[in-house]
Amino acid sequence: MTGSVLVAIAASIGNLLQGWDNATIAGAVLYIKKEFNLQSEPLIEGLIVAMSLIGATVITMFSGAVADSFGRRPMLILSAVFYFVSGLVMLWAPSVYVLLLARLIDGFGIGLAITLVPLYISETAPTDIRGLLNTLPQFSGSAGMFLSYCMVFGMSLMPKPDWRIMLGVLSIPSLIYFALTVFYLPESPRWLVSKGRMAEAKRVLQRLRGREDVSGEMALLVEGLGVGKDTRIEEYIIGPDDELADEGLAPDPEKIKLYGPEEGLSWVARPVRGQSALGSAMGLISRHGSMVSQGKPFVDPVVTLFGSVHEKMPEIMGSMRSTLFPNFGSMFSVAEQQQAKADWDAESQREGEDYASDHGGDDIEDSLQSPLISRQATSVEGKEIAAPHGSIMGSVGRSSSLMQGGEAVSSMGIGGGWQLAWKWTEREGSDGQKEGGFQRIYLHEEGVQGNRGSILSLPGGDVPPGGEFVQAAALVSQPALYSKELMEQRAAGPAMVHPSAAVAKGPRWADLFEPGVKHALFVGIGIQILQQFAGINGVLYYTPQILEQAGVGVLLSNIGLSSSSASILISALTTLLMLPSIGIAMRLMDMSGRRFLLLATIPILIVALVILVVVNIVDVGTMVHAALSTISVIVYFCFFVMGFGPIPNILCAEIFPTTVRGICIAICALSFWIGDIIVTYTLPVLLNAIGLAGVFGIYAVVCILALVFVFMKVPETKGMPLEVITEFFSVGAKQAKEPTDD
């Protein structure tokens, strides 16, 4: 995972520059006012700080669509260029108007970094540590603020501090960032797949994952090209493939055979029909719609679906993964289904050449008993196991083609206990015509394991006695590259199109109106707006005053510091307090989860804000007031950066489909910037109108609303592949719109 970690660290330097700039302008504006005599022109003074917000808001309007069309990496390079140019212009800045122009350009760089760095990290990070790596931007931003405050503090001790040098230093780290984006950062593999550039995507994945075999993840990225429109939840019972045990059972045309890591070892997944006795939460919701059946009528079905994945994954996870799930190798549909051999040659097809199956008429008969996804050879504990010939997917690219006998093929494990499979079903309709289709399945163990014989009472569950079984839930949908048009032209077997032939030339705007995407947009926009109105700007604004009341300012002045230097040092110390808390959040993000951290930290924010309200209303004495205020502010900062600080951006980078992820995250980021502007510029007005107690009271109320919103609407996305997350939103949105009856 070293490659993914280093790439995430390099990308997050964009956020370090944003934090650096925020802190630098806060210190430099004290000296800018003196040089340009802005004491009597508060509008210009405000614009010097606000121009970066305006620039970020403007660039965000376009960044998403451009990133979806031209890639994530070019936008990060452009961000570094904006940072560098703005630093040079601020270093020169002969007038206040040139300075305003430089601040606008700087805002362009900030907007691109804030919007696209979380998206880029989400698309390159492994599922199991995606939360940790996506907390890096928050850590980098705070670290940049601390380093900048230290620099500004040191310069403030000089006889004549030069604000141009303070601001112009930004060009040095931005040059380093530019070099990293150009020469080190790869393009997002998900974006490359979305454009049909399969060979490039494979090379990037191999570099990021540090291994040659990335066929399973490549297959997942291909499936991510679709937006879930007909996804449904099914349940399967998985057990050893025992021919003797199958005697006397009716043939099941919908069963799926799964090959294990050892030669001759395989399992069969049989669909569960009717009410399951095993209590699958996902299956329960798929049959009964919303959470009403589980006693939580106000919780979004999407939240319930995500929760059902995590609630039954305790102690048995390790044992099951070690014995069954991680090494399925290849999953294929059952015998007695006709299928055609196909070989995807991404090197020759990637530029949009027509895809054609390489089988001839003579091959079809030989393929009648071939698995849909076959296993060639998989390295397991140093052993190479050969397997049957013939494949349709499982690997993309010339060097990993499954048609090449003896080549290593990974399992279809896609992270978080999920497995990717496909099946081909065909049945005779009422009119006598054959109907069916090629279907993609995301399988997930449900956390139930036992002996055969204990589920004989399952309605429709033809499970033979003896042995062991595992229950699995499945998200079943049409594959992203399934072509009904090609299907009609084939006498047998599923028809697939090459990714380059299915690629949209730009963002598919119609996908924004899919129920799952609209649902995810509601969650993303809501969490971003609530974050801004939760009071972080107000508390930052009030911190120097609180610490001054606590006697910190007097202490610093006694050791010879000017008021400006003391103010800068106080801000540096405040920022320093955030770093350990962010480190804790990084550790917990993939263990406890995003939703858990929000539900655990927001109540503490509420308590801290209520204390600030009380001490500003009730006369508790100077010392008590200063002590309670200081403690409340420190607690607020520490717990904000553990939850409400990084998680909105992490969630927004996870919950949208690949084809419109850039557009959607830009819409959410636009909500962030608009909220930031509103809160920043209404704060002085509110302070004059209702005072500190009133302002903090409003923030406390917003935090209460945020807590309710998170509980009802925000799902837990830890440890889940991005493509599975979007499918869950699709299923949950449809259930919320049309709940089924019991």
Side-chain angles (χ1 to χ4, degrees), residues 431-462:
D431 56 356
Q433 297 293 322
K434 289 186 177 181
E435 57 185 28
F438 191 42
Q439 295 180 316
R440 183 264 299 131
I441 304 174
Y442 294 132
L443 275 172
H444 186 272
E445 67 236 71
E446 280 291 271
V448 179
Q449 190 175 26
N451 294 322
R452 289 186 191 171
S454 61
I455 54 172
L456 287 177
S457 59
L458 278 178
D462 292 331

Side-chain angles (χ1 to χ4, degrees), residues 283-467:
L284 180 66
I285 298 165
S286 70
R287 286 186 296 272
H288 299 291
S290 71
M291 280 248 350
V292 174
S293 61
Q294 299 187 27
K296 299 178 182 178
F298 300 108
V299 177
D300 196 311
V302 172
V303 175
T304 310
L305 284 170
F306 279 88
S308 69
V309 175
H310 301 289
E311 68 186 11
K312 293 193 175 184
M313 296 169 58
E315 63 282 354
I316 62 173
M317 286 279 292
S319 62
M320 279 199 298
R321 288 183 183 177
S322 63
T323 58
L324 181 63
F325 267 77
N327 291 307
F328 275 160
S330 37
M331 301 179 174
F332 53 90
S333 73
V334 165
E336 302 178 5
Q337 303 299 334
Q338 297 180 342
Q339 77 94 34
K341 300 174 186 176
D343 181 17
W344 286 8
D345 187 346
E347 297 284 354
S348 60
Q349 300 285 354
R350 51 178 284 202
E351 298 299 330
E353 298 177 15
D354 294 336
Y355 169 72
S357 171
D358 65 356
H359 69 73
D362 296 337
D363 294 330
I364 296 181
E365 192 64 33
D366 295 336
S367 303
L368 291 180
Q369 305 298 324
S370 299
L372 181 61
I373 309 276
S374 72
R375 181 191 186 91
Q376 297 299 315
T378 300
S379 176
V380 181
E381 299 179 356
K383 296 184 294 184
E384 292 289 325
I385 299 101
H389 178 75
S391 155
I392 194 170
M393 202 170 186
S395 171
V396 185
R398 185 192 304 270
S399 62
S400 62
S401 170
L402 291 183
M403 295 298 290
Q404 308 297 323
E407 182 131 3
V409 181
S410 74
S411 72
M412 294 293 105
I414 56 177
W418 290 87
Q419 296 282 333
L420 176 59
W422 296 266
K423 71 175 180 178
W424 168 250
T425 58
E426 187 176 78
R427 61 181 63 86
E428 190 171 298
S430 56
D431 56 356
Q433 297 293 322
K434 289 186 177 181
E435 57 185 28
F438 191 42
Q439 295 180 316
R440 183 264 299 131
I441 304 174
Y442 294 132
L443 275 172
H444 186 272
E445 67 236 71
E446 280 291 271
V448 179
Q449 190 175 26
N451 294 322
R452 289 186 191 171
S454 61
I455 54 172
L456 287 177
S457 59
L458 278 178
D462 292 331
V463 181

